[in-house]
Amino acid sequence: MPHMQRQQICSRGQSSSHLLPLVLALLSLAALPSRASIEMPSNYKRPPQITTHPESVTVFSVEDLVMSCEASGIPPPSFSWTKDGKPFDPSADTELKVTKSLGSFAFYTLSNTMDTLKPYQGKYVCYATNELGTAVSNEAILKTDVPPTQQKEKKVTAKSDEGSSIVLKCNPPQSSMEPIIHWMDQKLRHIQLSKRVVVGKDGNLYFAHLTMDDSRDDYTCNVQYLATRTILAKEAITLKVNPSNSLPRNRRPHMMRPAEGESTYHALRGQTVELECIVQGLPTPEITWLKKEGELDESRTVKEMFDRRLRLNNISESDSGEYQCIAKNTQGNAKHTYHLKVEAAPYWKQIPESLIYGPGEKVRLDCAAEGTPSPTISWTRNGEKISGNGTKHAVIAENTSLILNNVNFGDTAVYQCQASNKHGTILTNTYVYVIELPPQIVTEDRKVYAVAEGQSASLECETFGSPKPKVIWDRGASYLLADSRVKTLTNGGLQIFNVSHDDEGSYTCSVQNSNLSITAELEVFNRTVILTPPKNLKVQPGTTAIFTCVGLYDTNLRIPQIQWRKNNQKLMESSSDEKYTFDGAEFIIANVEPDDEGVYTCEIISSLDKVEASATLTLCDRPDPPSLPQISDPKHRAVSLRWTPGDDHKSAILEYVIEFEDQGLKERGWEELKRVGGNQNHAVLSLWPYISYRFRVIAINEVGKSDPSNPSEIHNTQAEAPDNNPEDVRSESIDPDSLLITWEKMDKRNFNGPNFKYKVQWRRVVGSGPKWNESETNEPPCIVRGVGNFSAFEIKVQAINENGNGPEPDPVIGYSGEDVPLEAPIDVGVVLINSTTIKVAWAAIDKDTVRGHLLGYKINLRWTGSRGHHRTRRSREAETTVMEETGPNEVKKVISNLRPYSHYVLSIAVFNKKGEGPHSEPLPFDTEEGVPGPPTSLILDSPSETEMTLRWTPPAHPNGVLTGYLLHYQSITESDAGPLQKDEIDNPTITQFTLKGLDRHSQYRFFLRGLTNAGKGEPIIMTGATTLDGVPPSDISLSVGENSVNISWEAQKRHRNVGFYIHYLRKNGGSNWKKTEKVNSSQSFYQLRGLIPGSDYLLHFFYGNTSFWETDIKTEGTEMAEVQASIATQGWFIGVVSALVLLLLILLILCFIKRSKGGKYSVKDKEDGPMDSEARPMKEETFGEYSDLEEKRTASQPSLCEDNKMCSEDTLNFNGSSALTTELNLDESLASQISRPSEGPEGFHGLPDNSPLNPTIIAPTTNGMPSAITILD
């Protein structure tokens, strides 16, 4: 709200400071949602309003009895109840428990038995009251009922004959709840339903006729009650079908439910009605539903249970009428008529509006309701009835409206309008406030109204005050109401009809006798129009229909939405079956079916307006074939044919095609004879003589052709002489000294009679006289021999048959066969025009030597080689020949596209239809030197950042003697190219050239041409840039694993490859720096392996002697140092090692005793004895890669073998089978743990990758076994 208005409200409030909160409170109650700028204090008084009405309930258990009511208001309202119109206090009933909270009241039972709940059945009304009035709730009905229970039933077995009908009874328990019936088998699988087997609304299973497959013993009716979440399974029924001795007899349909005839069905407006027709019969009848005096509304009508049930949703009084279900099969039909009568409980047509009034005003509360029968209107004030009689203050006018005359503050209350008829009661609450308030404009200032041209604009200027303020609208100096399109509204608004762009601008609304005013801004946009509306379509079933809708809208608005409707029902794109597809301006319907017929509407909806256009989709098909073609009125070469049109299938017949079949030429099949318009059913047909006819008719519409009609009877025409002669009579003589006469064969239908032949006649044009030679033949050609070469003849061919000859033909000129020419052209000469073009001339040939029609001359050009190639090069290139033809009257010819600097040989010959004559004497000539072709290849190589070396191979076609090369180059960018620079190479043997001083940052384009004395040739073009000096990689990224780290970087495309090293150090291992092999910068990836899990490493990247990047990493996994170190300190471990040492000493003593007794091993036994498997050389992987440490360790201690003779070769021969050898072959893992040096914290967690935990390869020790010192260390 503008600052000015806020000031006005405060100044008026000085005389009544308590009015402002009241004004705000009342405004918030009376204002529309758009008045959110006025906020009501949260603690100010508000009248009561029912927010949650008590609901009707059927109680099946004590937990179901809950009746609640919620209301709002300030102060919070108090609640009271009536039951069946009498006061009812739940708090005073000891069997009820009441819960109260701010704005809510609920009560429920404390009883544990259903019997105690029956007294609580009735009609309940909730009242919410505070000091401003009383609000009344809708009436809620409470009923009690017993949940359905399972009843004991006897096993039922039903028997019937195959082909007869039967009904299996379900008999669900009686209940106020509507049951849901499921017929299932003992495995809880649904019984397969079909048109033959259906479930009725009564729950029974109906069979239209029985088959042997219907026999089973587990037909189970399961009754489901949703309200109590109960499913009752009835006793299974056994059905036995007795086989029929013969085929079951077909039976006409007969109604099973309801019976044939008529019935009346009552329903209420808004309900769903289900009409049912279940029939028996064989074969299974089809059912059709019809509405008398009207059509079924497809949008609200659904056929269910295989068309046995018709469901009408959300019915209204207009749905009253007669509905018929008609059952048909091949034996007859049956029908039932439902008389549907729809009445209506009361429903509102107009409800009174809550408003604020000033003292002394007249209040009219209009309340209108409809229903069948018509409802009665009554009024109450704060829940107490208003009679309207005997007082002038409150008057009920026309039995609907409540009029309060000269209201005062005491009339502030909540008024209830109630409408009732036999089907129910509805109630609405309306608030009336009487107060005296200063004027105020509620509508916000500077509000913008956007409309499209042609629409109506409603500018708001809602005021508040008591008495009601009067407003004035103006727009500058113009008087608005002088325009017939402008009028003021009772609520203070201004309405402008048929808005145009001239109406844009500011409008001012002011309150009369005050300085209150606001401004409204009107913006007018271009209207949305449809440029290309959808067109009516006629399509075939199964095809695709495409509607197009193109619109134009104001670009200052957001893009409009295109909504398609079918018969006023919105359509959505279907993703499952792809039925409907919306593609921009196109709406596509795939696989059109009969259900797709209808009116389709394209609606373009912008943010301001909408426009629509409609078109119909009609399903049409090929027409049915015409029937009964009949011949009548035969005449000379003519007959009349009549037929009966077939169904056009919603597409008008465009034309009929009459076809005939020649019974003498049935191999030709049916042929078209005539076409007539689609509005005709007969045609006069012109016929040929001597033909046996049959006729048929085909209808054509926009969709296509019908099938042909049945053929007519045969009609024969009389024989006659031929009407015409063969066409295209000509001579096609090929062989010398012969005349070949031929023509186009006549169609057999033009023979006109039996014994048809061709009479051929000929004579010489010169010297033969008037006599004709003639011959008769059955078909072309006719050959006459011994007539000389290329002689002119008059020839003609006439058609004849038994009935006579055809008309006299006109003669044509033909020639006997040709022979090859006798002589070659003379005076042949060649003039060089340029390096690739020559002009050839010769003397015209004597036509007497041609011996036929002179067709022209053939010039033969043979390329024999290049003038500049070596013999070896020429021998590799095959000779080529070019043939040029001329017309018969030409004696010169310009020939282009020859190869420059080449040797050619030329000859000319004459030719006619028979062939070529002899060639002229060969005439050699040479073409001149030309410009060379492009070099064969070009390679760029960059030795430094500012140099580029070009290497090329010479042109494949130098077309002369190369004198050198011409090089142009220029720098290029994405948007521009630099000036061309030139270098000329005058040595043709040079095939490389280096450019220096190039810009290292630029890309260059190179043009290299060859040069001859004739000029410069076509260039070969190449683009490239110099190669930059290599740099170590940047943007290095790491991916750390347990034993390795993956190092990656982006290789520089233009930079040279450089090598670098990675130095790495394990921080907590006390080891030295290690270095990788040389890594190339072009690799983009390197994997550093051999790391220890759970360890910290320092990585340094070196290029030369300089570190260019360094980082810390920690490998994944668990560090194992503590685990292994702890093993070495365990008591059991020390005990095992001590026992091993003692055992070894004992073995050495035994060995010494045996030696002292003279026991020795022979050399032969040592050499030939088999090697014990335990004494074989151990794998190199047995011990870790710390062999260098072990060697140092053993070197620092005196060996047992240095001073003791027990270690002689014979004594410690490990190739034998001594106990010492056997016992010393320890477990690999244990031996390796013993042999490890234990200095520093490295202990065991410094194990290399290939230790016994991660085996690696080491050099073998003597005889394949570790030394005793190593084991015992």
Side-chain angles (χ1 to χ4, degrees), residues 800-816:
I800 61 175
N801 65 17
E802 282 186 359
N803 292 74
N805 296 347
E808 186 65 28
D810 295 326
V812 297
I813 301 298
Y815 290 85
S816 57

Side-chain angles (χ1 to χ4, degrees), residues 881-1096:
T881 301
V882 177
M883 183 71 68
E884 293 281 344
E885 291 187 2
T886 72
N889 300 320
E890 294 184 68
V891 291
K892 57 185 177 180
K893 177 76 172 179
V894 175
I895 302 174
S896 302
N897 298 323
L898 301 182
R899 294 175 62 170
Y901 208 60
S902 297
H903 301 289
Y904 280 92
V905 177
L906 178 143
S907 62
I908 305 177
V910 180
F911 72 97
N912 59 16
K913 290 183 179 179
K914 192 64 177 177
E916 296 181 20
H919 282 251
S920 63
E921 289 294 327
L923 177 63
F925 67 93
D926 295 334
T927 54
E928 297 177 350
E929 189 174 21
V931 297
T936 305
S937 65
L938 176 60
I939 300 174
L940 304 180
D941 185 21
S942 175
S944 72
E945 290 188 342
T946 59
E947 294 181 333
M948 182 69 77
T949 298
L950 287 75
R951 295 183 174 87
W952 66 86
T953 52
H957 299 288
N959 297 336
V961 178
L962 281 176
T963 60
Y965 295 92
L966 180 63
L967 172 64
H968 287 94
Y969 61 96
Q970 63 182 159
S971 61
I972 57 174
T973 62
E974 291 183 359
S975 58
D976 197 8
L980 280 173
Q981 302 181 57
K982 181 176 74 172
D983 277 300
E984 192 164 345
I985 304 165
D986 55 6
N987 186 350
T989 62
I990 291 178
T991 58
Q992 70 177 43
F993 187 77
T994 300
L995 294 172
K996 299 183 178 181
L998 300 180
D999 184 1
R1000 61 192 294 269
H1001 301 293
S1002 297
Q1003 188 96 347
Y1004 285 86
R1005 184 178 290 120
F1006 302 93
F1007 306 83
L1008 182 66
R1009 295 176 170 87
L1011 300 176
T1012 64
N1013 290 329
K1016 56 186 179 181
E1018 289 295 318
I1020 184 173
I1021 303 174
M1022 186 72 69
T1023 301
T1026 59
T1027 303
L1028 304 180
D1029 291 340
V1031 294
S1034 58
D1035 296 331
I1036 300 173
S1037 56
L1038 305 177
S1039 176
V1040 182
E1042 288 190 359
N1043 304 105
S1044 63
V1045 56
N1046 294 332
I1047 306 169
S1048 59
W1049 61 91
E1050 185 175 353
Q1052 301 294 329
K1053 294 182 180 179
R1054 284 187 54 198
H1055 288 73
R1056 300 182 193 279
N1057 179 53
V1058 298
F1060 63 93
Y1061 296 90
I1062 304 172
H1063 296 244
Y1064 58 100
L1065 174 67
R1066 183 166 177 255
K1067 289 184 179 181
N1068 50 355
S1071 59
N1072 297 324
W1073 282 92
K1074 296 183 181 181
K1075 183 174 73 172
T1076 65
E1077 70 270 26
K1078 189 175 183 180
V1079 182
N1080 293 324
S1081 61
S1082 60
Q1083 292 178 210
S1084 300
F1085 175 82
Y1086 181 76
Q1087 187 177 55
L1088 178 59
R1089 303 179 182 177
L1091 305 183
I1092 297 174
S1095 300
D1096 293 307

